[in-house]
Amino acid sequence: MLNPDQLDRAVELLRGGGVIALPTETVYGLAANAEDELAVRRVFAIKGRPATHPLIVHLAGAEHLEAWAREVPAEARRLAEAFWPGPLTLVLRRTTRATDAVTGGQDTVALRVPGHPVALEVLRRLGGGLAAPSANRFGKVSPTTAEHVRQDLGSDVDLVLDGGPSTVGVESTIVDLSTGAPAILRPGGLATEDVERVLGREVPVRTSSTVRVSGSLASHYAPRAGVVLAEPAEAAERVRELRARGLNVGVLGPAHLVLPPEVARFDVPQDAGDAARVLYARLREADAQGHDVLVACLPQAQGLGLAVRDRLARAAAPRDPTPSH
């Protein structure tokens, strides 16, 4: 835990319209007072994020749900009781407390209670909500350490609170409960199987929806290098093909892969939870070595492997050629 002076300074900045970076268990967030529209717009400006792309509002506890959501279905309460604090975001119909600046003009708001003691203590002291997307430039690789934030944002952010490496490593799972039956709009740090276990029913994953949510664009979480997806058994052949074209190739995958000794490898464990924890750090390490392309091995689409596959697919998607900031 940080010392009280650092926490006091963070809250002072937030109350004065400042923007800070703070740790959560998923990734580091770029946080502003969710009820300060000018501060929220500054978050968009720092990230280079489209104003229609909504933010997640972080709360100190589930007891604050009714202040932000005018309808809280029973299934939302069950999920909150089971998984908050933690890597779960609920999309619900908003109250007037959630402004258009936060929701992207929609009638819904995304809410979560983060599972990190620093974030929770800042929220408790602030006494309100924090609009907090990932603390990086829009569309790029999310930060999982304070140093990642400093490298990406520099002096654009007023304060960076260092709470150590993120323990989950990928963003929260987003569950939409605003239109009746639940649906997962973004796989994340909470497995679909766990959501289904608590609700006692199948919950579809719909990565295309009329409800806009964070991290839902086709190209996202992207390193500078190009990303080529491969099943582990196909990785070596893809590497040979790309090297034959004269490309500087790196490989993102499990340590047991048999590759030419001169090919740089970035170990991503087979265990899905471990893979999620290190994914963004490995993408950043690969970028630091200046590779033209990364061959990324896909984990099985179960548990947190679904979230890892989602992030890699978006990293590999065709990119908007226009600058994001």
Side-chain angles (χ1 to χ4, degrees):
M1 177 65 73
L2 300 174
N3 69 55
D5 289 345
Q6 290 175 300
L7 295 169
D8 288 343
R9 176 61 177 154
V11 173
E12 179 186 8
L13 285 166
L14 290 166
R15 287 178 177 158
V19 174
I20 71 167
L22 81 173
T24 81
E25 80 284 19
T26 57
V27 300
Y28 272 66
L30 185 64
N33 182 345
E35 296 176 83
D36 184 333
E37 185 169 340
L38 290 178
V40 170
R41 294 197 181 283
R42 189 175 159 213
V43 169
F44 280 92
I46 291 171
K47 283 185 65 71
R49 184 184 180 102
T52 56
H53 205 53
L55 304 179
I56 294 171
V57 176
H58 294 64
L59 307 175
E63 65 272 17
H64 300 290
L65 266 175
E66 282 79 3
W68 296 87
R70 67 178 186 268
E71 298 173 14
V72 184
E75 288 186 311
R77 295 188 188 281
R78 286 164 62 187
L79 290 173
E81 182 178 353
F83 300 119
W84 278 356
L88 167 71
T89 293
L90 300 177
V91 176
L92 302 167
R93 293 198 168 287
R94 70 176 186 175
T95 65
T96 55
R97 192 167 185 177
T99 65
D100 284 346
V102 167
T103 67
Q106 299 179 111
D107 190 41
T108 55
V109 63
L111 303 167
R112 100 171 178 102
V113 177
H116 193 289
V118 172
L120 288 171
E121 182 62 16
V122 170
L123 283 160
R124 187 190 67 77
R125 292 177 180 227
L126 180 67
L130 289 175
S134 57
N136 57 292
R137 306 297 182 186
F138 184 68
K140 304 304 181 183
V141 179
S142 300
T144 53
T145 68
E147 183 56 31
H148 292 164
V149 178
R150 296 186 186 103
Q151 291 169 358
D152 288 357
L153 302 182
S155 62
D156 286 350
V157 61
D158 299 321
L159 177 69
V160 179
L161 296 179
D162 190 343
S166 298
T167 55
V168 174
V170 293
E171 293 79 1
S172 60
T173 298
I174 299 179
V175 180
D176 180 22
L177 287 149
S178 67
T179 58
I184 291 174
L185 303 188
R186 180 180 71 183
L190 178 66
T192 299
E193 295 89 339
D194 290 331
V195 174
E196 293 177 331
R197 172 179 53 79
V198 167
L199 296 185
R201 62 148 111 182
E202 184 177 350
V203 180
V205 177
R206 295 178 183 152
T207 53
S208 177
S209 169
T210 56
V211 178
R212 299 187 307 279
V213 295
S214 295
S216 59
L217 299 184
S219 176
H220 218 74
Y221 315 109
R224 288 188 296 274
V227 177
V228 172
L229 305 180
E231 297 296 335
E234 304 167 348
E237 180 60 30
R238 298 309 306 272
V239 168
R240 283 191 288 271
E241 293 170 357
L242 292 163
R243 294 185 75 219
R245 292 162 49 188
L247 296 171
N248 181 348
V249 182
V251 176
L252 211 67
H256 66 74
L257 284 179
V258 178
L259 298 169
E262 63 272 21
V263 173
R265 65 167 75 228
F266 301 92
D267 183 23
V268 176
Q270 283 188 290
D271 177 82
D274 292 340
R277 192 172 301 115
V278 303
L279 176 64
Y280 292 145
R282 295 293 182 269
L283 287 171
R284 287 171 175 271
E285 290 167 14
D287 259 353
Q289 292 192 16
H291 296 290
D292 299 318
V293 63
L294 299 173
V295 174
C297 295
L298 292 167
Q300 294 185 344
Q302 60 189 34
L304 295 196
L306 186 62
V308 174
R309 288 179 73 102
D310 173 82
R311 301 308 188 271
L312 289 174
R314 295 182 193 277
R319 302 173 191 180
D320 185 346
T322 59
S324 63
H325 56 89

